[in-house]
Amino acid sequence: MQYSRFRVAYLLLLLLWAPRLFAQAPATTNEGPLLTPAQFLGYELGTQFTPHAALLRYVEHVVQHTPGQMKLQRYGKTYENRPLELVYVATADNMSQLENIRHNNLRLAGLEKGAIQRQQPAVVWLSYNVHGNEAVSSEAVMEVLYDLANPQNQQMQQWLQNLVVIVDPCVNPDGRDRYAMWYNRVRNQQANASPYSWEHREPWPGGRYNHYYFDLNRDWAWQTQQESRQRIVVYNQWLPQVHADFHEMGPNNPYYFSPAAKPFHADLTEWQRKFQNIIGDYNRQVFDKNNWLYFTRETYDLFAPFYGDTWPSFNGAIGMTYEQGGGGPAGIRYTKADGDTLTLSQRIAHHHATSLATIQAASDRHNDLVKEFQNFYTNASTKPKGEYKSFVLASSGDPGQMRAFTQYLDRQQIAYGYATKRSKLKGFDYTTGKTDNVQIEPHDVVVSMYQPKSTLVKVLFEPQSALEDSLTYDLTSWSLPYAFGVKAYALKSRVEATGSRPAAATVKGSAAAPAERPYAYLARWNSLQDVRFLGRLLQQGVKVRVADEPFETEGQKYQRGTVVITRTGNEALGNRFDQLVRAQADSAGVLVQAVQSGFSTSGGDLGSRSVRPIKQANVAVLAGPGVDATAFGEVWHFFEQQLGYPITVIGTEYFNSVPLAKFDVLILPDGGYEDILSERNLESVKAWVRAGGKLVALEGASRFLAGKKDFLLKTKPADSAATKKASPYAALRRYADAEREQIGERVQGSVYRVQLDNTHPLAFGYGDTYYALLRDIPNYRFMPNGGWNVGVLKKNSYAAGFAGRKAQRVLNDTFVLGTQDMGRGQVVYLGDNPLFRAFWQGGKLLFGNAIFMVGQ
């Protein structure tokens, strides 16, 4: 009875307060006037960070109050199921013709057929908050949307006569909410400007990244993340003339806008370079008028194609980055090193100003933008740049990898066909790194430069990008044949091709079995698709084996790493066995071959000891302070999104209390392990390895283990000969040259040919080389007896990209990857990260080998 009386009292109290509670939640209908952000939210912008859900409520409010001139599109969702939305803004006349404008824009680019209307609005796409903790831009976008919607803003209404504006209010909602929720929770009642206050010390992993801790601003070209793939589907349906990307940098910096810094990629047109200065002038006038500090032509270049300024540029747009000083450390108020206080309100004002300046510049020059956009694509189709006119991918490689490659081309809207006949032509062979006669076979994939997307093709395929200045922001090599690890050629001539996909290139899930109950199924081991297939079988309880030696059966040859699925050992599955194997092969896109006998005409029979069992591995990975967040995210994403295989994430804060005996594999991503693996913790890990565990150490984790007791990996000594030869004047350096001198000791995303011992399980499925994308120098000796030097750099291993002269010397005769036995377990050293940004497809089989093939 007491409970019932309490419940009734509670309900009465709730009814009493309900009107006040609901009054605080603004309506999302179009009743009443258009509200400013402050009126709608109940607080002034700049006084707190707005959660993503509230941001979208305001977006909806503005759209509903602007009927006929604004349209809201939900184009996808994040990994954490937050909505991704776009707002289209135009005059009533242009909005009524929105689809016609879009299709005409694609016809201007040559991507759709039909009559072209040469006079049309320019399309401007504004992207905010791609980095979650650069949170000011999604605050500023609310002011921008209000200005776009406000009928009293006559200047804006005039600009819109010439434009269709597409606004993405928040590219990275998961990262934004991670930051905003944290900051709103820890901030003082009165924001504390001291840099030492915890509201300026964002905890690991920070809000910069998406759910899987990927940097979405480096995913434009690769589209490995859900948010990127969904967004770029819509982007390719529009192909805007202008794309502006809003960011923040460190809080002690002022503001950056175009023109960009060198290096400019050679394939940026004269017009694109010119408009960098034009838009810079519009921004400069606003900043000069308000006495705001800014800088141009420094730090932020236009070279690598991964970004929100470069990838749109290679798709015909004027791509721009805007960088406001602030970011995660800045909070609402921040005392800078010069003693001045940076406020969130100031940061909002700056991004708001550059947003409007971008709109104004595009409106004033809309005819030029549309004209030059059409010229860009016309020249791309009829007069493609560069010495190579065709790129050919050999169809003799793994069909699963080839399918992944063509799916990637489809996402980019890159046209391709198939060679119709055998021919011998002169071309650059990516495998050898030499220009020679190459053999083109029927059904090889042909990518012609005579197509609308030829500029993007050139940028993505060319073996070596021209680099006008080595002081660049990111990677210097990314060529797709290296990234996918496929045999390919670059040709100076056009190759005859058909657009229809030949039957021989089709990937089938399983070969037709001559009998209902074959003796076994065999699956070759060549690519990520094969790793995915193996992982799914193991999770379904299928007993699987792997061939450690080559063999031949029923007229076909099979290499090391071939997955063998025999009926024997799988009797418990009964009649489900065949259906399950074939269904998983279909799902993974893998070709399996049914055989009727366990006898091999050469090599070991299927019952040989060289065909060993593989068990389902219980895998764990370390995450938390000390571990590089993106490196952990790459592992996490690999298992969950690419393999669909379970992985246990263990926090570094409680690692020392975890019973490692529960796991078969422990992965240490890149990071600093001095505080994580104390001497006591490291001894526990070694004891676990000796008992049969497998430790996989990537990059910084390998560096940490190098030289430690019982670990065979050692760093190379300093070059004493070079030290002796050094000039006595070497210490007399110019201060201004310091940064450029340091470049000589670095590699910047350079491609190197790693020599492989493919008889070792770590290199199963590869030839004698693997293309590694080196971003650091794996400065290790070859391991002595007891260890296996599976992948090494010998002399003349360089393939593409920038590497300083000192770095090139160090990279001769260097260990890159290998293993050592420790008791009954193994340590796998990966001095290079084969999962980097999830786009280096050729390395994923290598990582799969480390998990499933090594040891067991």
Side-chain angles (χ1 to χ4, degrees):
M1 291 295 293
Q2 285 184 340
Y3 172 77
S4 299
R5 284 197 296 270
F6 173 80
R7 188 175 182 184
V8 170
Y10 174 77
L11 290 172
L12 289 172
L13 184 62
L14 183 61
L15 288 171
L16 179 65
W17 278 92
R20 300 186 187 183
L21 292 172
F22 288 113
Q24 293 174 10
T28 56
T29 68
N30 57 3
E31 297 176 1
L34 172 67
L35 302 178
T36 67
Q39 290 169 335
F40 182 89
L41 297 170
Y43 55 85
E44 293 291 335
L45 289 182
T47 59
Q48 68 180 70
F49 286 103
T50 306
H52 181 253
L55 165 66
L56 293 192
R57 286 197 296 273
Y58 183 69
V59 169
E60 185 178 359
H61 166 80
V62 174
V63 172
Q64 288 182 342
H65 279 76
T66 318
Q69 291 184 261
M70 281 191 176
K71 174 186 172 183
L72 185 64
Q73 178 187 4
R74 181 166 293 186
Y75 68 86
K77 61 181 181 180
T78 70
Y79 287 111
E80 296 176 14
N81 290 313
R82 291 181 175 87
L84 295 166
E85 296 184 350
L86 293 172
V87 180
Y88 297 87
V89 189
T91 63
D93 288 344
N94 286 334
M95 185 62 73
S96 67
Q97 297 294 316
L98 196 62
E99 274 300 283
N100 290 336
I101 293 171
R102 182 177 73 81
H103 286 291
N104 190 60
N105 209 49
L106 295 177
R107 288 194 288 272
L108 288 169
L111 291 166
E112 281 190 6
K113 294 180 180 180
I116 294 174
Q117 174 63 45
R118 300 188 187 280
Q119 296 297 321
Q120 78 156 30
V123 181
V124 175
W125 186 305
L126 307 177
S127 292
Y128 297 87
N129 220 158
V130 67
H131 291 146
N133 61 358
E134 298 175 9
V136 64
S137 62
S138 283
E139 304 294 330
V141 76
M142 289 186 275
E143 283 197 352
V144 174
L145 285 170
Y146 178 79
D147 286 339
L148 287 165
N150 184 4
Q152 305 305 316
N153 190 331
Q154 295 300 313
Q155 188 176 53
M156 178 63 74
Q157 297 306 311
Q158 183 179 351
W159 293 340
L160 286 175
Q161 296 292 326
N162 304 321
L163 302 175
V164 170
V165 179
I166 304 174
V167 178
D168 191 331
C170 187
V171 177
N172 181 10
D174 292 349
R176 176 182 175 80
D177 265 2
R178 189 184 312 128
Y179 174 78
M181 297 301 188
W182 165 78
Y183 184 84
N184 288 340
R185 176 174 57 84
V186 304
R187 60 163 290 192
N188 288 0
Q189 187 68 32
Q190 296 296 323
N192 191 323
S194 169
Y196 305 106
S197 173
W198 74 335
E199 62 187 84
H200 303 294
R201 301 300 176 104
E202 193 179 0
W204 190 97
R208 179 181 178 87
Y209 312 113
N210 76 339
H211 173 77
Y212 282 106
Y213 304 162
F214 272 69
D215 187 329
L216 294 179
N217 192 42
R218 285 154 175 81
D219 196 44
W220 281 82
W222 314 125
Q223 300 158 37
T224 68
Q225 299 301 290
Q226 180 170 297
E227 295 91 341
S228 302
R229 290 192 180 188
Q230 295 170 137
R231 179 178 71 258
I232 290 173
V233 166
V234 185
Y235 189 99
N236 275 328
Q237 292 170 354
W238 277 96
L239 292 179
Q241 280 79 42
V242 174
H243 180 262
D245 202 18
F246 293 85
H247 291 263
E248 290 186 82
M249 51 188 161
N252 287 304
N253 295 290
Y255 198 97
Y256 162 83
F257 49 75
S258 60
K262 291 184 178 182
F264 280 62
H265 195 282
D267 294 317
L268 292 171
T269 68
E270 183 179 350
W271 165 250
Q272 288 173 317
R273 295 168 188 245
K274 180 180 178 181
F275 204 84
Q276 285 274 318
N277 290 289
I278 291 172
I279 191 69
D281 287 341
Y282 276 79
N283 287 305
R284 176 176 53 77
Q285 291 172 22
V286 177
F287 274 64
D288 285 347
K289 180 180 179 181
N290 288 282
N291 296 313
W292 294 338
L293 292 177
Y294 60 91
F295 68 92
T296 64
R297 297 162 296 174
E298 295 178 39
T299 307
Y300 301 103
D301 60 57
L302 287 172
F303 182 65
F306 329 126
Y307 296 97
D309 52 9
T310 50
W311 185 86
S313 296
F314 300 134
N315 281 276
I318 307 300
M320 294 169 296
T321 290
Y322 291 118
E323 294 273 356
Q324 164 64 50
I332 293 175
R333 296 176 67 248
Y334 183 88
T335 303
K336 300 192 297 181
D338 62 6
D340 195 9
T341 298
L342 176 67
T343 68
L344 181 58
S345 297
Q346 292 169 338
R347 292 150 62 197
I348 291 171
H350 298 162
H351 266 341
H352 175 250
T354 52
S355 298
L356 300 191
T358 303
I359 292 170
Q360 180 185 4
S363 179
D364 290 351
R365 304 297 294 268
H366 72 282
N367 286 328
D368 292 336
L369 285 167
V370 173
K371 174 186 172 184
E372 294 296 338
F373 175 82
Q374 183 180 14
N375 289 342
F376 177 95
Y377 279 101
T378 299
N379 291 333
S381 295
T382 59
K383 297 182 291 185
K385 299 178 180 179
E387 59 179 320
Y388 300 117
K389 304 308 175 188
S390 303
F391 298 93
V392 178
L393 312 170
S395 60
S396 58
D398 175 60
Q401 193 75 322
M402 287 303 298
R403 184 172 72 166
F405 203 123
T406 55
Q407 287 174 339
Y408 173 81
L409 297 179
D410 290 337
R411 289 197 298 273
Q412 297 281 6
Q413 290 187 335
I414 292 173
Y416 57 91
Y418 298 89
T420 57
K421 61 184 180 180
R422 177 172 296 167
S423 57
K424 184 169 283 188
L425 300 168
K426 194 160 190 175
F428 176 84
D429 187 333
Y430 287 84
T431 302
T432 64
K434 298 178 181 177
T435 298
D436 206 342
N437 289 328
V438 298
Q439 186 76 38
I440 310 300
E441 299 289 347
H443 305 158
D444 284 354
V445 175
V446 178
V447 181
S448 172
M449 282 289 287
Y450 291 88
Q451 62 168 299
K453 288 292 189 90
S454 72
T455 301
L456 183 63
V457 170
K458 179 179 180 294
V459 171
L460 294 177
F461 275 84
E462 61 186 349
Q464 185 77 275
S465 297
L467 185 63
E468 63 179 331
D469 192 327
S470 56
L471 286 174
T472 184
Y473 195 62
D474 204 330
L475 309 180
T476 57
S477 184
W478 50 79
S479 185
L480 290 179
Y482 294 133
F484 277 81
V486 297
K487 189 171 181 62
Y489 316 109
L491 308 174
K492 296 182 180 180
S493 57
R494 299 179 74 166
V495 177
E496 185 179 338
T498 178
S500 58
R501 184 188 298 270
T506 301
V507 179
K508 297 181 180 179
S510 57
E516 289 295 323
R517 295 170 59 83
Y519 181 90
Y521 293 94
L522 306 179
R524 289 181 169 84
W525 187 254
N526 295 304
S527 67
L528 172 66
Q529 290 76 16
D530 304 314
V531 184
R532 185 184 299 131
F533 175 55
L534 172 62
R536 290 176 177 178
L537 289 179
L538 293 173
Q539 291 179 79
Q540 292 288 332
V542 179
K543 299 295 189 296
V544 181
R545 299 184 179 195
V546 59
D548 280 339
E549 298 293 337
F551 65 96
E552 183 175 355
T553 184
E554 298 185 2
Q556 293 196 42
K557 294 181 179 179
Y558 296 88
Q559 300 302 317
R560 293 179 176 89
T562 297
V563 174
V564 179
I565 312 131
T566 59
R567 190 171 300 279
T568 298
N570 286 298
E571 294 87 351
L573 296 173
N575 295 330
R576 294 178 51 243
F577 173 69
D578 300 277
Q579 180 183 0
L580 193 155
V581 172
R582 294 178 183 180
Q584 292 302 331
D586 284 333
S587 177
V590 169
L591 179 68
V592 298
Q593 180 67 50
V595 296
Q596 305 309 308
S597 172
F599 177 74
S600 299
T601 51
S602 68
D605 297 329
L606 300 190
S608 166
R609 65 181 180 179
S610 65
V611 183
R612 57 183 170 86
I614 300 178
K615 68 175 184 177
Q616 182 178 2
N618 194 355
V619 183
V621 59
L622 275 190
V627 175
D628 183 275
T630 58
F632 158 69
E634 287 154 4
V635 174
W636 192 19
H637 185 269
F638 177 79
F639 280 92
E640 289 208 334
Q641 295 297 323
Q642 299 173 54
L643 288 191
Y645 193 89
I647 186 168
T648 300
V649 179
I650 298 176
T652 55
E653 306 96 321
Y654 61 88
F655 172 65
N656 59 1
S657 65
V658 173
L660 290 179
K662 300 286 186 182
F663 301 97
D664 304 301
V665 180
L666 175 62
I667 301 169
L668 306 181
D670 186 27
Y673 282 84
E674 290 76 10
D675 295 331
I676 302 168
L677 293 180
S678 63
E679 185 175 345
R680 179 179 176 182
N681 285 348
L682 190 56
E683 287 300 323
S684 298
V685 170
K686 288 191 289 185
W688 168 78
V689 173
R690 292 189 181 102
K694 180 161 52 182
L695 185 67
V696 180
L698 287 88
E699 294 186 293
S702 289
R703 285 195 299 273
F704 170 77
L705 297 178
K708 296 288 192 300
K709 181 183 177 183
D710 299 322
F711 293 95
L712 296 179
L713 188 65
K714 312 291 182 187
T715 56
K716 289 195 293 188
D719 188 348
S720 56
T723 302
K724 291 178 182 178
K725 292 179 183 178
S727 165
Y729 303 112
L732 305 180
R733 301 179 298 138
R734 290 183 72 243
Y735 178 79
D737 296 336
E739 184 177 10
R740 195 165 297 279
E741 287 179 358
Q742 291 173 1
I743 288 289
E745 300 175 358
R746 300 209 307 257
V747 290
Q748 292 185 246
S750 308
V751 178
Y752 272 75
R753 294 183 183 88
V754 178
Q755 302 297 310
L756 292 177
D757 172 8
N758 60 16
T759 68
H760 191 283
L762 186 56
F764 278 178
Y766 289 88
D768 56 6
T769 59
Y770 155 68
Y771 290 98
L773 182 66
L774 298 184
R775 296 160 298 106
D776 204 349
I777 298 175
N779 186 26
Y780 302 115
R781 302 178 182 179
F782 298 145
M783 285 200 295
N785 288 340
W788 298 102
N789 298 287
V790 181
V792 300
L793 295 178
K794 297 181 180 178
K795 290 180 173 62
N796 301 319
S797 295
Y798 166 84
F802 174 81
R805 285 175 296 188
K806 294 179 182 178
Q808 291 181 40
R809 287 200 302 268
V810 175
L811 286 169
N812 286 331
D813 298 330
T814 295
F815 169 97
V816 177
L817 55 99
T819 70
Q820 77 168 86
D821 293 333
M822 184 180 287
R824 292 190 290 113
Q826 297 81 33
V827 179
V828 181
Y829 302 105
L830 299 176
D832 165 63
N833 178 12
L835 302 181
F836 179 65
R837 292 183 187 168
F839 88 94
W840 203 254
Q841 301 291 334
K844 293 177 181 179
L845 180 67
L846 187 70
F847 193 77
N849 286 338
I851 303 303
F852 295 108
M853 293 296 176
V854 173
Q856 295 277 348

